[in-house]
C-alpha cells in the first residue's frame, strides 16, 4: 500500500512541475517575427507591366553594387527599423546606420517604412504587401508607374532573408 501511495505522490509532484514557459502565451505577431534577426535583401525582381501576360520578371538584384547587397535591416521595436551598412559602404562618409519608422497594417499584411516621421507620406522608403512564406524569409510586393512609361504599372518584389 505504501508503494502505491508513494507512486501517486510522485506523479502528483511531477505533474505540478510544469515549467512556466510552457504556460506563457507565445507571441506570434509579425512584429515579433521581424524583430527576431537581421534581414538582408537577397532577391529583387521587376515586372515591367502587370497588364502584359508575356512579361517575365527581371532580376534587378544581380546588377546591384556589392556595397548595397550587404546592407541589412534590424527591426528595433514596434515603430523603428535601422538600415545598417554591411562590410562595404557605397560612400565612405555615409553613416553606419540610419533609423526609419515603420508600421504593419491590414492585419500585418502591409509593411510601410519611411524616413521622416514629420512627413510620412512623402518619405516612403518601402511600402507594399508583406508575405511571410517561412520563418526566415519575407517578401514585400508593390506597384509603381513604369519608369519610362507612366501609362504602365510595374510590379516589384523584394525578398528579405534572416541572417544567421
Amino acid at each position: 500500500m505504501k508503494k502505491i501511495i508513494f507512486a501517486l505522490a510522485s506523479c502528483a509532484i511531477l505533474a505540478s512541475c510544469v515549467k512556466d514557459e510552457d504556460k506563457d502565451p507565445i507571441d506570434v505577431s509579425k512584429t515579433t517575427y521581424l524583430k527576431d534577426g537581421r534581414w538582408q535583401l537577397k532577391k529583387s525582381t521587376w515586372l515591367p507591366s502587370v497588364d502584359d501576360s508575356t512579361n517575365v520578371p527581371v532580376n534587378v538584384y544581380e546588377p546591384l553594387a556589392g556595397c548595397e547587397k550587404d546592407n541589412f535591416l534590424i527591426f528595433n521595436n514596434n515603430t523603428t527599423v535601422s538600415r545598417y551598412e554591411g562590410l562595404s559602404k557605397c560612400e565612405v562618409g555615409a553613416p553606419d546606420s540610419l533609423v526609419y519608422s515603420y508600421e504593419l497594417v491590414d492585419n500585418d499584411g502591409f509593411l510601410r517604412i519611411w524616413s521622416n516621421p514629420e512627413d510620412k507620406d512623402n518619405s516612403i522608403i518601402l511600402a507594399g504587401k508583406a508575405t511571410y512564406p517561412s520563418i526566415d524569409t519575407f517578401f514585400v510586393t508593390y506597384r509603381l508607374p513604369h519608369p519610362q512609361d507612366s501609362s504602365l504599372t510595374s510590379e516589384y518584389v523584394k525578398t528579405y532573408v534572416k541572417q544567421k
Side-chain angles (χ1 to χ4, degrees), residues 119-140:
D119 192 10
K120 174 175 151 179
D121 293 331
N122 293 312
S123 64
I124 297 291
I125 303 295
L126 179 65
K129 178 183 173 193
T131 309
Y132 313 91
S134 72
I135 196 71
D136 62 355
T137 304
F138 75 93
F139 309 141
V140 179

Side-chain angles (χ1 to χ4, degrees), residues 109-113 124 126-131 139-143:
F110 192 89
L111 173 65
R112 183 177 296 120
I113 300 175
I124 297 291
L126 179 65
K129 178 183 173 193
T131 309
F139 309 141
V140 179
T141 304
Y142 57 97
R143 292 182 173 185

Side-chain angles (χ1 to χ4, degrees), residues 89-106:
K89 289 185 178 183
C90 294
E91 295 178 31
V92 176
D96 291 339
S97 67
L98 294 170
V99 178
Y100 301 124
S101 299
Y102 84 97
E103 65 183 353
L104 283 167
V105 294
D106 295 337

Side-chain angles (χ1 to χ4, degrees), residues 28-75:
V28 293
S29 71
K30 297 305 184 237
T31 301
T32 299
Y33 168 84
L34 292 173
K35 289 189 304 185
D36 183 34
R38 298 168 20 153
W39 298 94
Q40 189 171 27
L41 181 67
K42 287 296 186 179
K43 183 178 179 183
S44 185
T45 60
W46 168 57
L47 185 64
S49 175
V50 296
D51 297 321
D52 184 349
S53 62
T54 63
N55 275 193
V56 255
V58 177
N59 181 341
V60 292
Y61 177 77
E62 285 307 316
L64 288 176
C67 59
E68 292 180 48
K69 289 180 180 179
D70 67 356
N71 295 345
F72 59 92
L73 300 172
I74 293 181
F75 290 82

